[in-house]
Amino acid sequence: MRASWKACRGLMWMGALCASCEALALSLSPWLIPASFPQPGELYLNGGFLFSATGRPSGPAMGLGAELSLHAFFEAVPIAGVGVFGQWQSINGEHHRVCAGVQATTLVLGAELGVAHDFAGAQGVATTSVHLQPFFSMGFLTAGLRIGIPVATGPGDRPGYGSDVGFVLSLKLPVPLKKNLDGEG
């Protein structure tokens, strides 16, 4: 009973933190985010917060962390782009998860493909996984379905963390770095 109250209390704090950050980003967005984001031919650096609620063989996993991505949009209609990303999360306050890979978008839909690594913790040994995540993005707010497929576990007497499937929410601030990647400006 005490452990479930601790998990519930942690989830409430994570929710309050995400809501506060979202409110701050929305209040700053008219000054920081171009009115017509994204623009074809532009390069954006996106940094922000990452929250996940996923299921694993050992039980629910809550994560809170950060994500950084670099994304370029093509001179095309409909607008589409490609990029790279990196993530860090604390999972259940018990261990850390890092992930990196590539991403592609078209209009408001996108997908990530990468490699994730859960470091060894009290509940399991180090686990490396393939990371797949289709997502819906409105520029600064992204919601996705994360799928982690384990491919290797470290040595030890405990099991690896196993598969990972669940909801991911990120709140990022897109900062334009360069306009007109085709060289005209």
Side-chain angles (χ1 to χ4, degrees), residues 43-177:
L43 179 67
Y44 290 87
L45 179 66
N46 310 290
F49 298 98
L50 185 65
F51 170 76
S52 64
T54 63
R56 293 183 170 194
S58 60
M62 300 294 178
L64 185 60
E67 179 174 352
L68 187 65
S69 64
L70 186 64
H71 206 81
F73 291 94
F74 302 120
E75 293 277 355
V77 175
I79 193 164
V82 295
V84 295
F85 72 94
Q87 302 172 344
W88 163 83
Q89 284 189 293
S90 174
I91 305 295
N92 292 339
E94 189 264 335
H95 73 279
H96 299 279
R97 176 186 187 272
V98 293
C99 181
V102 295
Q103 58 186 195
T105 57
T106 181
L107 296 176
V108 295
L109 298 177
E112 295 176 348
L113 174 63
V115 175
H117 183 78
D118 284 272
F119 290 90
Q123 301 299 315
V125 298
T127 305
T128 301
S129 304
V130 172
H131 166 94
L132 303 167
Q133 183 174 311
F135 60 85
F136 175 80
S137 177
M138 295 300 291
F140 57 89
L141 182 63
T142 302
L145 173 68
R146 181 165 78 201
I147 302 164
I149 304 165
V151 293
T153 57
D157 56 350
R158 293 168 295 165
Y161 288 101
S163 60
D164 185 33
V165 178
F167 178 72
V168 177
L169 183 68
S170 63
L171 180 67
K172 298 185 281 186
L173 183 63
V175 176
L177 296 180

